[in-house]
Amino acid sequence: MVSWIISRLVVLIFGTLYPAYYSYKAVKSKDIKEYVKWMMYWIIFALFTTAETFTDIFLCWFPFYYELKIAFVAWLLSPYTKGSSLLYRKFVHPTLSSKEKEIDDCLVQAKDRSYDALVHFGKRGLNVAATAAVMAASKGQGALSERLRSFSMQDLTTIRGDGAPAPSSPPPQGSGRASGKHGQPKMSRSASESAGSSGSLY
């Protein structure tokens, strides 16, 4: 675990950041020699990173594997060994030069296929999105009309409840009789009083 961490740090600092800074200086100074040197390094480093992805899985158990990786990166960078320039001129450049036409044809075909696939999946995605939007809109419209209908029915019932007159309760049966009974003595008394007052006048 410690060896893996140290190797990752060495590759990150001396294999990536250090060459990136000197590549910047080469571009800034417009030195063709330095520019070509660092371009060769980045090509070799890209191949190394690709191979490292698989060797870290299958060869990590190998003794001194991470130490060998650190030594290889140092060999690539060293101005005395010029490992990146050596590998590029001896192996990479001749191989790429002999296979350049086939690689270009494969890249063009892959580009065309990827474009067609992108257009195809883009159209399918747009169709699916449009269908989902139409379904959501129809469902939302149905739910809205149903809610409005329920609200209108509730309002009608409320209006009916507010406008209808309240049913009048019949008067209790005993109240009329009682009022009649009590009313008769009052009427006879007032009549007798009026009769008495008229007799006293005569």
Side-chain angles (χ1 to χ4, degrees):
M1 186 65 182
V2 177
S3 300
W4 178 81
I5 295 174
I6 294 174
S7 67
R8 296 308 298 175
L9 288 175
V10 170
V11 171
L12 177 64
I13 295 172
F14 296 101
T16 306
L17 297 178
Y18 176 81
Y21 178 72
Y22 276 93
S23 299
Y24 154 75
K25 289 177 72 70
V27 172
K28 183 180 179 181
S29 62
K30 297 180 181 180
D31 189 349
I32 302 299
K33 185 178 178 180
E34 288 292 315
Y35 187 80
V36 172
K37 182 183 87 171
W38 289 113
M39 284 299 296
M40 290 189 293
Y41 169 81
W42 285 117
I43 293 172
I44 298 299
F45 188 78
L47 296 175
F48 164 74
T49 305
T50 304
E52 182 188 26
T53 305
F54 299 98
T55 56
D56 283 350
I57 298 173
F58 300 105
L59 295 179
C60 60
W61 54 269
F62 193 79
F64 304 107
Y65 168 72
Y66 297 107
E67 288 80 1
L68 290 174
K69 283 175 58 176
I70 296 173
F72 180 74
V73 172
W75 179 74
L76 291 178
L77 284 172
S78 175
Y80 302 103
T81 58
K82 299 180 180 179
S84 58
S85 300
L86 179 64
L87 288 178
Y88 180 82
R89 290 191 173 97
K90 291 290 184 181
F91 301 102
V92 177
H93 184 77
T95 304
L96 292 178
S97 297
S98 62
K99 303 292 183 181
E100 185 174 0
K101 189 178 185 305
E102 290 83 354
I103 295 173
D104 289 340
D105 293 338
C106 291
L107 290 177
V108 170
Q109 292 178 4
K111 182 179 178 180
D112 295 337
R113 290 177 182 176
S114 62
Y115 178 76
D116 294 338
L118 180 64
V119 171
H120 175 68
F121 285 111
K123 288 181 179 179
R124 289 188 61 183
L126 289 176
N127 291 333
V128 171
T131 305
V134 170
M135 292 179 63
S138 61
K139 288 182 180 179
Q141 186 176 3
L144 180 62
S145 61
E146 188 66 27
R147 177 161 294 196
L148 290 175
R149 185 182 302 170
S150 64
F151 285 163
S152 62
M153 295 299 294
Q154 185 177 1
D155 292 341
L156 288 175
T157 54
T158 304
I159 292 172
R160 289 178 184 175
D162 293 340
S168 58
S169 59
Q173 296 179 359
S175 61
R177 295 177 182 178
S179 62
K181 290 180 180 180
H182 291 293
Q184 288 179 359
K186 288 181 180 180
M187 291 295 294
S188 59
R189 185 176 179 181
S190 60
S192 60
E193 288 178 355
S194 61
S197 62
S198 59
S200 61
L201 289 175
Y202 292 102

